[in-house]
Every structure is written in structure tokens, then in C-alpha cells.
Amino acid sequence: MTATQKVKFYQVGSFAVGNRLLDADQRTVQSDVSRNNTITSGHRACQGCGEALGARYVLDAAMRATDGKLVAVNATGCLEVFTTPYPESSWQLPWVHSLFGNAAAVATGVAAGLKAQGRGDVRVLAQAGDGGTVDIGFGCLSGMFERNDDVLFVCYDNQAYMNTGVQRSGATPSAARTATTEAIGPEPGNPFGQGKDMPTLAMAHGIGYVATATVSDLHDLEAKVERAMDFHGARYLHVLVPCPLGWGSASKDTIRVARLAKETGLFPVYEAEYGTVTAASPIRHRVPVEDYLRLQRRFRHLFDSQGAVKRPDIVGQLQQMADRNIDRFGLLTDEVA
Amino acid sequence: MAVAACRPQVVCAYPITPQTHIVEGVGEMVKSGELAGCEFINVESEFAAMSVAIGASAAGSRAYTATSSQGLLFMIEAVYNAGGLGLPVVMTLANRAIGAPINIWNDHSDAMAVRDAGWVMLFAESNQEATDLHIQAFRLAEDLSLPVMVNMDGFVLTHATERIDVPTQEQVDAFLPPFEPRQVLDPADPVTIGALVGPEAFTEVRFLAHAKQLQAIGRIREVADEFAQAFGRRSGGLVNSYRVEDADVVVVALGSILGTIKDVADEMRERGTKVGVVGITSFRPFPLEALHEAIGDARRVVVIERAFSIGFGGVLSTDVALAIADAKARISTVVAGLGGRAVPEASIAAVIEDAMADSLEALRFVDLDRSVVERELARMAGDRRSGPSAENVLRDLRAVASGSV
Amino acid sequence: MDKPFAITLDVGTSLANKTGSWRVDRPVYLDRLPPCNDGCPAGENIQGWLYYVEEGDYEQAWRRLVEDNPMPAIMGRVCYHPCETACNRAKLDEAVGINAVERFLGDQAIEHGWSFGFVAPPSNKRVLVIGSGPAGLSAAYHLRRFGHAVTIYEAGWALGGMMRFGIPKYRLPREVLDAEIERICALGVEVELGHRVTDVPEEMRAGGFDAVFMAVGAQLGKRAYLPAGDSAHVIDAVSLLHSMEGVDPPSLGRRVAIYGGGDTAMDAARTAKRLGATDAVVVYRRTREKMPAHDIEVEEAVEEGVLMKWLSTITDVDFDKGHIVIEKMALDETGFPQPTGEFEELDADCVVLALGQESDLTLLASMPEVVVADGSVQVGPDLMTGRPGVFAGGDVLPVDRTVTTAVGNGKKAARAIDAWLRGETLETPVRHELASFELLNTWYYADAPRTERPRLEVARRTSTFDEIVQGLDETNALFEARRCMSCGNCFECDNCFGVCPDNSVVKLGFGNRYRFEYDYCKGCGICVSECPCGAIVMEPELA
């Protein structure tokens, strides 16, 4: 891994948020009492919201990496709605929300404006959900990438339009139930053969840094944010954030589900520079996809009431997708954490 | 040139006829280094163009963009957004017809589509005024914390060459101080811009926006006065009255057509008809009081407009009617020049004469080809599947031109 | 900044929204009982002292350890570590090498000359301890620290009991034993060697003792009836091992048969090998699975070439002919061995009997209220006998006969005696819920297989009495301690502080753990799921 150096056995230090035995600089930003809490308490996210957690992780790390000189541009979506209902804002940094599809363009403008004022030391981070990134936001995002504007774009991927009631997006995985891809008929859930692989699309633009991450591996996520801030120009970070409401998982399982997404191989965690993959985070204890699917009611139609697989054809296809990811990125190594 | 002299810090625009060369010019100056401290962004759509301007303005930079017609509609979500957030973006709108059918020539239908978005909308009558209004626009926008749109008729003004007095950099610097934003994204003093506002406060927000525009009425006048002092000529302001003092009929219009109308008025005055002309410079905020005063006691008001509200009638004239609601004047909507059609002086004169004779209808389309229209209407009545009107009309026009009908 | 109404907000204003009102359940920090602590017969707070080892603060760890058990260097060599059997880590990869770390700490203390700390001010009470085995020494240590005047009467010529006279040197080097005993005595324990007690009340009166702790052990080897059973060629294992402490080593024959299947039998067999026996054969009436000896003892014995004869009993001896007669046994349906009538001759020129041990309870003669059943003294939960002020512990009780159990008895008795001397009753602390494996989230523990202690090669082992098992060096001890998962007790990994989406965990600073900000906690339960050691639980929100 270029982004994280795994700490040589240290009790929990390699995986937990912090540990009294580790030097401060080997612990996460989150373990530090002086972390920014860029999203502070009192926001209206659901219990166990993966996006609230992921956004705080990313922004606290970004604030640390930029010494607090950071501006955030937010698209319309859950994150924006639950953090800024007048008169309450849970943000603690300069933040602007314009529209659903233009976060990347507004961020381009902010970056250009700061540069024109000679304030290039202030960095810009744009953030959106999966809808605001791969669907309605795609045009502006592609333009920002193509011009290599100095913006880090972060996509919090909960794999559907959650704020409007769980509708399918271009990031919704195959077979998942949403309000517009119900689990009925011969092809229950979201059809196979659709969807955008946004990180790969980002890589195709040849931008300096592209990475994927989840909320279950904090060290990795923070290291990637920090690494991203080493670059100038367009950068993209794709973070998997489970949504208990939309995924139908228990609120306490948010991190566990994200972990399983990685450990099955369904969500590959990797980094790329200038269009080429440079490192992948290996799977630690591989599990079959059903262990992940079973925890989520959006995949309930694949199981019977006892939890046994009822649709081996669909589960099999999903397993193949996971297998292909494992092959493509080399996610199984002999390396022990 | 004027735009460049205003020292914009971020310029972004997407190509669309007929505004493109304005931005090209600025872009060249940035690339050559002639315009320093300015970032020029080649955006991938108009939606991105306005969004980039929003971002730049929120970051405390002077932002400028330009568009027309289809491009304006593509960015309309962002136009409303800039208006709602109160960011002092300045945009040149090279007025052009909106399709379908696609038409690249001048009319005001694009401006009319965004008249409720909370922008200040100024209309230039001449190239000189277009130049001057841009300078005033930045000043106004930043004073009020409102976005300002400078409307100039596509091709007519954008592509014509006139001798104009180009302000010097020193003059502009003296008139237009550096941008001091009312709200800004600054790590030293963080704020949250663009909150979710619910029913309990939304009305108040809108009311405040309205109140600000009403304040703008006074400010527009002041800025025009200050401009006159600084540059030695009148430009801008709320309305421009011409020979209205004793007018029996007043013609009201927006934009470059006013030049033609004034020529007609002079000519008719020579022949004894007391014609007055009122050009509306500030379309939003709409200068109800100034207009009322300008029209005065005139018994006939003719509003010549280059836009039209399909299924209803005039757009500008509806606003004008409100301004003189208490007067006893008779008001007519005259639709002219849609899609770039030339409006000859003779046509204007004919309309005014009809107005004087009280034979001008409430709604008249100038120079409408009745035979084409009637034939199409007959076809539509007879045959449900008569096809798109535009294609049929074009076919008929070719038939007429070739003399086969 | 002149912020437009409602459109632009001040930062952090969401703190006005107390989302804690959304909760149905609330998270609560708790301490659960780690299985290692639960399993330790000496009642050590194993997890507690491992915590300090993890930090590299070995002295502090040792001090924490000796709060409960004064003899870690010995424990680290002789204890059968039920803590490791119970250790949750075994379900992940392998148990933490607690025993090895304990030994490391004990050895460090000896090397650096650490002495025991605090002794309470004199209580003006005098306590007699009869017997200086692990139970007696442990009781003496704790009683002395409570501030009582302690005197040990030891019948033998040296302190240590079975630790000296039962456990072979190759397992417990005498320098180590001496060092730890000396350290206890240095607290001011009075010792009288060669002082056999026959009348407890009389001794108490004569010495002015306010209470007595009887820890005389079980030092009489049981004898089986064998023809020629009193001949010089038949000795009991206890005597054999005892005599190893003398100046001259005893002489056994070349072919030694050891009769019995317990740890003592193994010690005797291995000692026989070291004394030069060509063959040492253990004769046991049942099978390997049924042997009471601990696995490690049997394995080491077998490695050293001790032979095993299962399902056999000795029926006759004929040393003139140089053999013994054994009868084959077969297990019946109940697992009990039954004679088969088949006999065999086994070459042997002596027999060591390791058939169990009994206590010499003659000292109870003048105390009829002290109840004895099945050769063991009966006591209450506070280890007091039927006679007030007379307590007993160790092998005299019907308990597991291990050093660790004895040490635990010593501590418990000392506390009970201390309470009794003050006229109070001993409080039993509330037992917390056990921190079982399912309550942990083991994902967070780094993959780390156990470090094994290096051992002497077999050849060298069987020719000398050198200590077989070496200790861990510091790096390894540290590594091993850090494998501890801190089951059930917060070790400040910061997970809860980091994973709360609502920022509702407050970090209180090193050593002070955390607190929940219930104003904002929505009760999602992620903290509970992601706490590696299971130190948080969800409870219903009270109305």
C-alpha cells in the first residue's frame, strides 16, 4: 500500500481508531481530541448513518492535511439536507451548497476565485452522493476532471438516491431493491448489466489521483485523503457509506456491512495515479457474498425466511462480480496484516 | 474591453451564438497576460459556466459570464441559485430567440424566461450603453449583493460596430473599487452558505429579496448619476424618456429597437404627430413609478416587444399596464422582431398611426404573413395529422417564393 | 460578515438540536470479567497486570501482579495456567502466553531486585502460619502486608513445602525459589524451621497468637499393598522427590517402574531418568485420556523417553529375579478398569509408588470441632474451620492440588483472617458478567500468532537437572502481552470515540476512558458493535 503503511503488529493499532501504545502520528486523526469535528453533533442524519460518519472522517482528515485551510462545496442530497436545516448548521468550515448537479463546477469556480486572489494555499473539496456524482453531476464532474481543476471531489456512495426515498441511481448495485427497482418480477431488484464504475471513469480522465475507500477502514481512508492533498489538480475519492435506512441494515451494523463489502470483493479498495492502479488494499479474511447480502433487506428477496439462499442464480452472478474484482485488482495476497 | 477593464477575477463561458466573441476577447487578454489576476475557465456547458461563477463569487472573486437563449435555459437552475444566494455575478445576455424551432437571431424571449429569478436586468439601447452598463453592472451588483444581467440584442448590438467612447482603465478603477463581498468562504471566518429553508422562513427570504430589488431602484439611479459625473455621459438609469412631455402617444420598448423608434418619432413629430418614446433600461427591478411618471398623461401607449407569452399575450406590456393602471390610457401590445425579423421604420410608423386613429388592436403582430398562417390554420382544422407547424410554414414560404401558390 | 437571512448560517449552530431525544436504547460503558481472571485460582488480575506489560512498564506490572500473588517467577514455571485455557484469544488464534509473561516479570523482579512495597502499620495482632508451602507463604505475605505480626512454623529444614520437596529442579530452579521466598521473609515474617506442631491450641497460647492458618499440605504418599512392599526397592514418589533435596542423591535401580498416573508419577519418572535409569516405565491402570497428569507433563516425559504401560496394575514384585508382575486391565462400560486375568512380567529393579498423597492431620487432635472428611479438613467459604480463629488452606482441603490453588487459598485465608481479627466478615465482591468471546469484535486485533518459549533439546534435558523451559526475552514478552484483547474492559483504543456518527463520545484523557454525550447520542449502537473488547452494552432508555 502506498497510502498506508500497515503498522507492524501493535495490538489493535493497525485497525482501531487509536491506541495508547501508538505514537500520536501513527494514530488516526479521529483519535485526537483536537480533531475538527467538521460535522458536529445535532445534525439530522438517521441513527447509524454511514454518510455522516464518512463525511466527518474525510473532512477532519482534509482539515488536518490542509492545516484548516479548506473550503467545502456540497451538492444537494442527504448530507446537505441533514446538516443545514435553517437555522441549524452542523458544519464547522466554510461551506457552500448550490445545486444538485453542479458541485464540481462550483468547486472549480471557488478554486479559480481563490487562485485569482492569490490564495492558492486554501484548498477546495467538493462532495456529493452517488446520484450527484454519477448521474446528474456527471457532466460537471467530467468537465472538472478534463480541465484538471484543483479540486478534490469526494463521492459518498450509498448506492441510491436516499434523500428522496431510496430510488435507483447509476451506482445502485445489481439485484438491489430500491423504490424504482422493486424486488418483483422475473428480474427482481436492479437489473444486471447497468451501472457506472465511477472510479474507473475517473481514472479514464487521466487525473492525478483516484482512490476508493470505505468507512470501515479509517486508517486507509485518512491516508488517502492526506495523499490526495499532496496532489494539485483534479482528484477523486469514492467512499462506500452504508445507509441503514435504504439498505435495510441494522443501524449498529453500518461499519460491519462496509467491512463485508470489502471482504467479499464486491467493493474493491484501491488507489490509482494518472490512470493506472498503483495499490490495492488486500482482503483480510475473505467471505462469500451472501454473508454481506444477508445483512441487508434490500437483498432480502435472495434469501428464504431461514436465511438460506433462495436465488442461487442471482447470488452466483454477484459472486462472479466479486471474483472478477479480486482478480482484476489482486485483492488476495499472502500478506498478513 | 469594458468587461476586462472591470478587472474580473474569474471569467467563464460556453460557446453559443451570438455571445461567443465577447468572451473570446476576454480570454485572449487573459492568455496574453494583458488582463492579469484573472482565471479564464473553458467550461463544458452553460450550467457549468454559471456554477463556476457562483463558486468564484462565493469565494470572494469578481465573476463574469455570458450566454444567450438555449444556454440561458440550460443554466436556469443556476441563474435562480445565484439570485437566491445573492451573489454579485455579472452576466451578459446576448438576447436571442428560444427554440424550438432553433433560431439564432435576436429577440427577448430568453430574458423574459428569467425575469423572476431575482437578478437585476438592464437593457442596453446602443453599443455605447452596452459598454457603460457593464461597468455600472459590477458596481451595482457588488453594492447590492445581487447578480446583474446586461441585456444586449444579439447580432444587432453584439455584432455591429459603432464608434464608442471606450473608458480607460484609470476611469474604471476610479469608478469601480475592488470587490468586497458581503458573504464569503473564508477559513478564517467560516460560514454555511445555502441552507435548507422551510416554510417557516421561506416567505421572509423571498420578501427580503424583493425589498432589496426595490432598494435597487434608488441605487440604479444613483449609480447612473455617478457614472455621468465620472464619465461625462448619461448611460443606464431606470427609464429613458424621449420627447414625452406633451405626447399623445407614447411608445415603450426595450433594447436596440429604441433607436429605430426614436427616428420614427422624430419623423412623425415633423409631420405633426406628438409621439413620445420611453426606453426601459432597468427591466428588473421594474420601475413602476418612473415609468408612470414618464408616460404621464399620454392617452395612448404602444408597447413594442420582442417577446411573447404564448397563450396569453405580451410580457413587457403586462408590466407596463400595471405601471399605468390608474391612468385612462389605452395600451396595446405590439409584437415585433421575433426570431430576428427586421422591423422597418415604416412598420413602426404604421402602428403609431393606427394607435392615433384608435384602430390599433390590443394585441398586434407586426408584419405577420397572414396567408401563410391562415393556410396552416385551415390545414390544422381539416387534418389532425398536419405535422409540425414550422415545417409546414417553411414549405409554404418556399411555395410562395417560387410562385407556385 | 453580513449574512443574508436564512440563506447563510453560523457554523456549529446545530448544537442547539439535542438529538438525544431520538433514542430508544442508550449505550453504557461497563466492565466485564475477563475469562483469564475468572479462571485464575490465585485470583490474579491478569488482564490488569498485562496492561502494564503492554506499555513496557514491567515493574508496575509486577507490582500489580504481586497485589494478589507474591511468587510470579515460580508461577511462571509451575502453574498449569487455567487462565490460558480460558483465554478468549484461543478462539481467534492461540491463547495469550500469560504464563510466559508472568515468568518474565518474576525473573525481571529477581534480576532488578525489586522489593515488595507497602506494609500497613502494625495491627498488634499475631498470626501463626503452620507450613511454608505455597499456601503458607502466600498467607504469610498477605497477612504481613495487612500489618499483622506473622510467624511461620515449618516442620522441615527449609521453607517451600512441595515447591522445594516435590517439584523437580528441572522445572523450578532452586535459586528462583529461594529468591521469592526470601523476598517474602524480608517483609518481616518470623520463621522457625524444624518446628513441628502437634497441638494447635497449645501453640497458639504459648506464642500469643490471635489466629492460625494451617497449611501443612499432603505429604504422605499413599501405599498400596504389595508383597515385599516394605522392601528397600519400593519407595513412594513423595519420599523420592523429597530426598532429591538432600546432599546425596538417592540411588534407584537401572529399571524403574513408576506406579501411578498423576503429575507426581511423571516427576518421579523423569527424575529417575536423570538419576541414570536406563528405563523408566510408568504403570497406570487406565488409559492416557484418563490420566490425571497434565498433558504437558506427559508430553515432556514421553519426549524424554519415559515409557508408558497403560491398563496395567502391579500384582507382584520379585526383585531377586529383577521383575515385577503386572496384570492387564480393561475398561468396562463405566470407564472403570477391570482385571482381565492376563499377566505379564516387566523388568524392574525398583518400584516408585505415586498413588496419591494424604495429609498428616495429627495436629488436629486437640480440636474436635475441626471436621475432617475423607482425609480433608472441612472449612466454610472463608476458609475457617469449625474452630473460630483456626483457618486452613492448600492441599489439606479437598481442592485441586496445585501450587496456584494453594497460593489462592493463602490469599483468601489471609483476607478472611484479617477481617475476623477486626471483628468483621469478609465481603465477597460482586461478580461481573463474564466477557465471553461473542461479546468481542475481534476484527480489530492484529494477526499475531503466539510466541513459544524456547526449550532445551531432549538430549540435554535428560542428562541434567537444568531448567528445561527458558523464558521469553523482552521483545517477545512485550509481543505476547500485546496479544491480550483486554476482554470486557476498556483499554482506550478510541474506537467508540471515532465511530460515532454524531460525535457523542467524549474522550476524557489518558487513563480516564470516555463518557457518552447523551444530549446527542441517537442510540445507533455502532459503538457497541465496534468495541473490540466488549466493554459497552445497550440498555433500554428509561422513560
Side-chain angles (χ1 to χ4, degrees):
Chain A
M1 283 300 280
T2 52
T4 15
Q5 292 302 313
K6 279 285 181 263
V7 178
K8 282 259 174 239
F9 172 71
Y10 226 104
Q11 196 175 40
V12 293
S14 301
F15 299 103
V17 170
N19 184 261
R20 74 189 195 285
L21 302 175
L22 279 176
D23 291 330
D25 61 359
Q26 285 176 309
R27 296 187 223 174
T28 61
V29 172
Q30 287 302 304
S31 70
D32 189 346
V33 284
S34 66
R35 75 188 191 211
N36 282 87
N37 287 321
T38 319
I39 304 179
T40 188
S41 315
H43 62 71
R44 311 223 179 159
C46 302
Q47 294 153 316
C49 173
E51 186 160 352
L53 192 59
R56 190 185 75 230
Y57 284 173
V58 168
L59 285 155
D60 281 358
M63 287 290 269
R64 174 69 59 93
T66 59
D67 213 20
K69 290 192 268 189
L70 185 71
V71 172
V73 177
N74 217 130
T76 308
C78 267
L79 182 61
E80 164 260 324
V81 168
F82 70 65
T83 52
T84 58
Y86 165 81
E88 296 157 15
S89 165
S90 40
W91 295 101
Q92 310 240 66
L93 86 169
W95 180 97
V96 63
H97 158 241
S98 174
L99 299 165
F100 199 175
N102 71 355
V106 174
T108 293
V110 172
L114 290 168
K115 186 173 171 198
Q117 292 172 48
R119 299 206 58 196
D121 58 321
V122 179
R123 311 297 302 279
V124 182
L125 186 152
Q127 50 190 11
D130 49 288
T133 304
V134 314
D135 290 339
I136 196 172
F138 192 73
C140 288
L141 184 59
S142 180
M144 184 272 273
F145 284 163
E146 172 276 304
R147 285 187 302 269
N148 203 26
D149 295 324
D150 192 6
V151 172
L152 167 61
F153 192 97
V154 182
C155 172
Y156 301 109
D157 184 7
N158 54 27
Q159 303 185 329
Y161 289 98
M162 294 309 184
N163 191 236
T164 44
V166 193
Q167 291 86 21
R168 177 244 187 241
S169 79
T172 301
S174 307
R177 177 261 162 210
T178 66
T180 46
T181 57
E182 287 285 3
I184 52 182
E187 239 195 314
N190 198 36
F192 280 84
Q194 297 182 351
K196 287 186 195 173
D197 178 357
M198 192 62 221
T200 302
L201 290 165
M203 283 164 60
H205 287 75
I207 58 179
Y209 187 74
V210 173
T212 68
T214 75
V215 286
S216 66
D217 192 343
L218 178 60
H219 286 258
D220 176 72
L221 177 57
E222 289 191 354
K224 285 170 173 164
V225 172
E226 195 182 322
R227 177 108 182 97
M229 286 306 182
D230 282 342
F231 287 80
H232 284 262
R235 294 145 284 145
Y236 180 72
L237 181 61
H238 191 110
V239 186
L240 183 70
V241 294
C243 167
L245 187 80
W247 294 20
S249 52
S251 64
K252 66 176 174 61
D253 280 344
T254 297
I255 291 183
R256 179 177 168 207
V257 167
R259 185 177 299 134
L260 288 169
K262 178 189 170 185
E263 293 291 290
T264 53
L266 280 173
F267 187 83
V269 176
Y270 60 93
E271 288 174 289
E273 293 180 17
Y274 301 104
T276 310
V277 175
T278 51
S281 177
I283 292 173
R284 199 176 160 203
H285 303 304
R286 185 177 183 185
V287 290
V289 294
E290 48 266 34
D291 286 7
Y292 163 70
L293 302 171
R294 199 179 276 113
L295 293 175
Q296 305 164 61
R297 285 201 308 281
R298 65 178 176 158
F299 292 110
R300 172 171 54 184
H301 50 285
L302 306 176
F303 300 93
D304 65 23
S305 53
Q306 269 80 53
V309 174
K310 185 173 85 178
R311 288 298 302 263
D313 54 329
I314 296 179
V315 174
Q317 274 181 284
L318 292 170
Q319 185 63 59
Q320 278 179 355
M321 288 166 68
D323 294 343
R324 275 200 292 278
N325 282 341
I326 290 173
D327 273 339
R328 178 179 167 202
F329 294 100
L331 298 177
L332 289 175
T333 69
D334 294 330
E335 196 188 293
V336 171
Chain B
M1 296 291 285
V3 170
C6 293
R7 302 190 189 274
Q9 287 165 295
V10 175
V11 172
C12 47
Y14 188 75
I16 184 168
T17 311
Q19 63 77 358
T20 318
H21 61 288
I22 301 171
V23 177
E24 283 167 3
V26 179
E28 208 175 314
M29 292 172 79
V30 170
K31 204 143 204 294
S32 71
E34 200 180 325
L35 177 54
C38 177
E39 294 293 311
F40 183 82
I41 316 283
N42 278 305
V43 287
E44 71 283 355
S45 75
E46 288 90 350
F47 178 61
M50 181 53 68
S51 301
V52 169
I54 285 170
S57 189
S61 285
R62 186 169 284 160
Y64 171 78
T65 187
T67 194
S68 299
S69 156
Q70 313 301 134
L72 178 69
L73 293 196
F74 194 67
M75 63 153 75
I76 200 170
E77 197 192 2
V79 172
Y80 271 76
N81 192 253
L85 292 177
L87 294 169
V89 173
V90 170
M91 173 162 73
T92 305
L93 185 64
N95 301 111
R96 167 183 146 175
I98 293 180
I102 180 168
N103 171 298
I104 63 168
W105 294 274
N106 164 247
D107 74 24
H108 290 160
S109 51
D110 54 4
M112 296 307 148
V114 292
R115 66 192 194 269
D116 297 331
W119 283 57
V120 169
M121 296 175 72
L122 308 173
F123 276 81
E125 188 183 318
S126 64
N127 281 83
Q128 180 70 68
E129 190 167 42
T131 301
D132 297 342
L133 279 181
H134 280 90
I135 301 169
Q136 292 186 35
F138 282 103
R139 175 88 178 273
L140 264 173
E142 290 168 18
D143 278 354
L144 298 164
S145 228
L146 275 180
V148 176
M149 201 181 301
V150 178
N151 290 270
M152 41 193 293
D153 287 321
F155 288 112
V156 178
L157 292 185
T158 59
H159 283 66
T161 37
E162 247 173 60
R163 278 175 73 97
I164 58 167
D165 197 348
V166 179
T168 64
Q169 185 66 67
E170 293 71 34
Q171 283 177 304
V172 176
D173 285 343
F175 184 77
L176 180 63
F179 177 29
E180 272 179 37
R182 176 187 178 186
Q183 57 176 340
V184 69
L185 297 167
D186 179 5
D189 185 7
V191 283
T192 300
I193 300 179
L196 173 81
V197 177
E200 70 282 352
F202 192 81
T203 308
E204 283 67 29
V205 173
R206 280 286 175 263
F207 183 88
L208 288 166
H210 177 63
K212 198 198 293 195
Q213 283 245 2
L214 295 180
Q215 275 180 335
I217 289 180
R219 194 76 194 105
I220 289 168
R221 217 188 242 126
E222 283 165 16
V223 169
D225 290 342
E226 285 161 33
F227 185 87
Q229 274 199 318
F231 293 81
R233 61 179 172 274
R234 286 220 69 87
S235 261
L238 296 169
V239 299
N240 196 303
S241 304
Y242 184 73
R243 306 184 84 163
V244 294
E245 303 74 28
D246 59 345
D248 287 328
V249 56
V250 170
V251 182
V252 182
L254 291 168
S256 60
I257 200 175
L258 286 162
T260 316
I261 299 172
K262 284 179 191 171
D263 287 345
V264 170
D266 285 343
E267 207 264 331
M268 291 183 82
R269 278 245 176 207
E270 271 210 357
R271 294 196 271 110
T273 315
K274 295 190 197 152
V275 182
V277 183
V278 177
I280 300 181
T281 310
S282 168
F283 175 61
R284 284 293 183 272
F286 194 79
L288 289 168
E289 224 180 277
L291 186 60
H292 185 274
E293 197 188 310
I295 290 174
D297 298 323
R299 304 268 319 286
R300 297 166 193 83
V301 176
V302 176
V303 181
I304 298 187
E305 40 182 318
R306 301 186 91 127
F308 181 63
S309 179
I310 296 179
F312 175 53
V315 180
L316 179 63
S317 49
T318 313
D319 295 355
V320 173
L322 188 67
I324 55 168
D326 61 340
K328 295 209 168 46
R330 212 183 125 178
I331 180 167
S332 296
T333 307
V334 174
V335 178
L338 294 182
R341 180 176 285 176
V343 188
E345 289 190 17
S347 305
I348 297 176
V351 160
I352 297 174
E353 275 156 20
D354 286 349
M356 287 301 292
D358 291 327
S359 64
L360 182 60
E361 323 78 277
L363 172 65
R364 172 182 293 190
F365 281 77
V366 168
D367 296 343
L368 183 68
D369 187 334
R370 296 215 159 266
S371 60
V372 164
V373 170
E374 271 152 25
R375 188 175 14 254
E376 183 61 17
L377 285 171
R379 183 184 295 126
M380 278 160 63
D383 176 6
R384 270 185 66 238
R385 290 170 198 268
S386 60
S389 305
E391 275 58 37
N392 293 335
V393 167
L394 284 172
R395 198 182 318 118
D396 282 346
L397 285 173
R398 276 197 294 279
V400 165
S402 67
S404 56
V405 177
Chain C
M1 205 180 298
D2 179 19
K3 295 182 283 288
F5 170 72
I7 292 163
T8 301
L9 307 176
D10 281 322
V11 294
T13 38
S14 63
L15 291 170
N17 183 22
K18 308 278 171 132
T19 50
S21 56
W22 300 16
R23 267 197 317 271
V24 175
D25 298 307
R26 65 162 52 189
V28 172
Y29 291 111
L30 81 170
D31 287 301
R32 289 184 161 124
L33 181 62
C36 51
N37 289 16
D38 186 46
C40 177
E44 288 184 25
N45 183 350
I46 295 166
Q47 191 187 86
W49 54 256
L50 278 175
Y51 184 88
Y52 293 106
V53 182
E54 291 159 18
E55 291 172 6
D57 191 347
Y58 309 121
E59 185 172 345
Q60 187 59 32
W62 179 81
R63 292 193 181 283
R64 190 70 198 75
L65 197 164
V66 299
E67 291 280 313
D68 296 296
N69 185 334
M71 299 181 283
I74 296 170
M75 292 295 118
R77 289 166 165 84
V78 308
C79 180
Y80 293 111
H81 42 79
C83 54
E84 293 187 13
T85 312
C87 175
N88 276 332
R89 184 108 200 183
K91 297 195 180 78
L92 184 65
D93 40 39
E94 289 152 314
V96 174
I98 299 167
N99 190 252
V101 179
E102 181 165 29
R103 173 183 161 155
F104 171 80
L105 290 177
D107 289 349
Q108 286 280 302
I110 294 172
E111 187 184 322
H112 295 289
W114 298 333
S115 51
F116 292 132
F118 177 75
V119 170
S123 65
N124 298 318
K125 297 286 182 185
R126 292 174 56 77
V127 182
L128 169 62
V129 175
I130 307 175
S132 68
L137 286 169
S138 169
Y141 164 77
H142 286 288
L143 285 164
R144 187 72 201 97
R145 293 182 74 213
F146 286 138
H148 305 303
V150 180
T151 305
I152 297 179
Y153 288 167
E154 166 54 49
W157 52 267
L159 299 174
M162 274 305 187
M163 297 190 292
R164 186 182 302 278
F165 296 105
I167 297 176
K169 290 191 179 99
Y170 56 76
R171 179 166 302 291
L172 179 57
R174 298 307 181 235
E175 313 80 63
V176 174
L177 177 63
D178 290 337
E180 299 222 300
I181 293 177
E182 173 52 35
R183 196 193 292 123
I184 293 174
C185 293
L187 283 178
V189 174
E190 300 271 334
V191 170
E192 282 189 28
L193 294 171
H195 184 144
R196 175 175 289 278
V197 172
T198 48
D199 185 340
V200 172
E202 179 49 36
E203 294 276 16
M204 285 181 73
R205 195 198 51 73
F209 295 112
D210 302 294
V212 62
F213 179 59
M214 302 188 298
V216 298
Q219 307 184 52
L220 306 176
K222 285 187 191 158
R223 316 274 307 185
Y225 174 71
L226 286 179
D230 288 313
S231 89
H233 295 270
V234 177
I235 45 177
D236 74 272
V238 179
S239 307
L240 167 64
L241 295 170
H242 194 110
S243 70
M244 292 299 299
E245 295 305 304
V247 178
D248 299 314
S251 58
L252 295 177
R254 307 211 69 75
R255 295 183 175 77
V256 180
I258 299 95
Y259 197 22
D263 291 317
T264 314
M266 298 301 116
D267 284 339
R270 297 167 74 186
T271 299
K273 289 284 291 189
R274 283 166 172 75
L275 289 174
T278 336
D279 291 325
V281 184
V282 170
V283 177
Y284 179 60
R285 64 199 175 116
R286 294 198 287 177
T287 57
R288 166 91 193 248
E289 297 74 51
K290 308 280 187 202
M291 281 180 92
H294 287 88
D295 280 341
I296 186 66
E297 307 282 5
V298 180
E299 276 165 31
E300 285 180 355
V302 169
E303 276 172 14
E304 289 168 9
V306 170
L307 303 168
M308 305 284 174
K309 202 91 176 101
W310 311 114
L311 294 166
S312 307
T313 56
I314 301 180
T315 50
D316 203 354
V317 298
D318 188 345
F319 294 116
D320 296 328
K321 295 215 181 89
H323 68 238
I324 59 177
V325 179
I326 57 181
E327 180 176 8
K328 285 202 194 316
M329 309 296 273
L331 296 183
D332 62 20
E333 322 77 54
T334 61
F336 203 77
Q338 299 294 343
T340 58
E342 287 174 46
F343 294 89
E344 198 184 313
E345 281 177 7
L346 186 71
D347 287 344
D349 40 34
C350 85
V351 172
V352 177
L353 299 174
L355 300 168
Q357 289 138 244
E358 289 170 329
S359 300
D360 179 352
L361 298 175
T362 49
L363 80 170
L364 301 179
S366 53
M367 296 187 292
E369 343 67 315
V370 175
V371 180
V372 175
D374 272 340
S376 298
V377 176
Q378 304 298 301
V379 291
D382 59 353
L383 300 187
M384 191 157 77
T385 64
R387 186 180 172 102
V390 176
F391 296 76
D395 287 355
V396 295
L397 300 184
V399 295
D400 270 352
R401 288 192 172 162
T402 62
V403 171
T404 325
T405 306
V407 167
N409 277 180
K411 175 175 89 172
K412 191 167 169 187
R415 290 184 179 167
I417 292 170
D418 176 69
W420 186 80
L421 288 173
R422 285 182 281 110
E424 293 164 11
T425 43
L426 190 62
E427 291 170 20
T428 36
V430 172
R431 190 190 145 88
H432 291 230
E433 183 191 349
L434 192 65
S436 53
F437 187 72
E438 315 73 56
L439 296 171
L440 310 177
N441 185 339
T442 57
W443 172 266
Y444 291 98
Y445 297 104
D447 298 328
R450 174 177 160 131
T451 323
E452 293 299 338
R453 285 180 269 189
R455 298 153 105 239
L456 278 191
E457 323 82 59
V458 174
R460 195 158 147 220
R461 272 152 58 177
T462 48
S463 60
T464 66
F465 281 87
D466 286 353
E467 188 174 11
I468 294 171
V469 182
Q470 309 300 296
L472 293 175
D473 64 22
E474 183 185 343
T475 323
N476 290 330
L478 199 56
F479 181 96
E480 205 50 44
R482 285 174 177 169
R483 294 177 68 245
C484 168
M485 303 196 286
S486 192
C487 307
N489 292 283
C490 175
F491 60 117
E492 300 189 18
C493 74
D494 291 335
N495 256 16
C496 56
F497 179 55
V499 301
C500 177
D502 295 281
N503 233 13
S504 297
V505 176
V506 180
K507 186 166 166 178
L508 297 172
F510 184 64
N512 294 317
R513 300 183 171 182
Y514 313 89
R515 137 180 103 70
F516 289 110
E517 188 56 83
Y518 290 115
D519 276 350
Y520 299 107
C521 163
K522 292 172 184 162
C524 69
I526 292 181
C527 52
V528 177
S529 288
E530 304 304 317
C531 175
C533 64
I536 313 177
V537 71
M538 293 302 276
E539 289 180 351
E541 184 75 10
L542 303 169

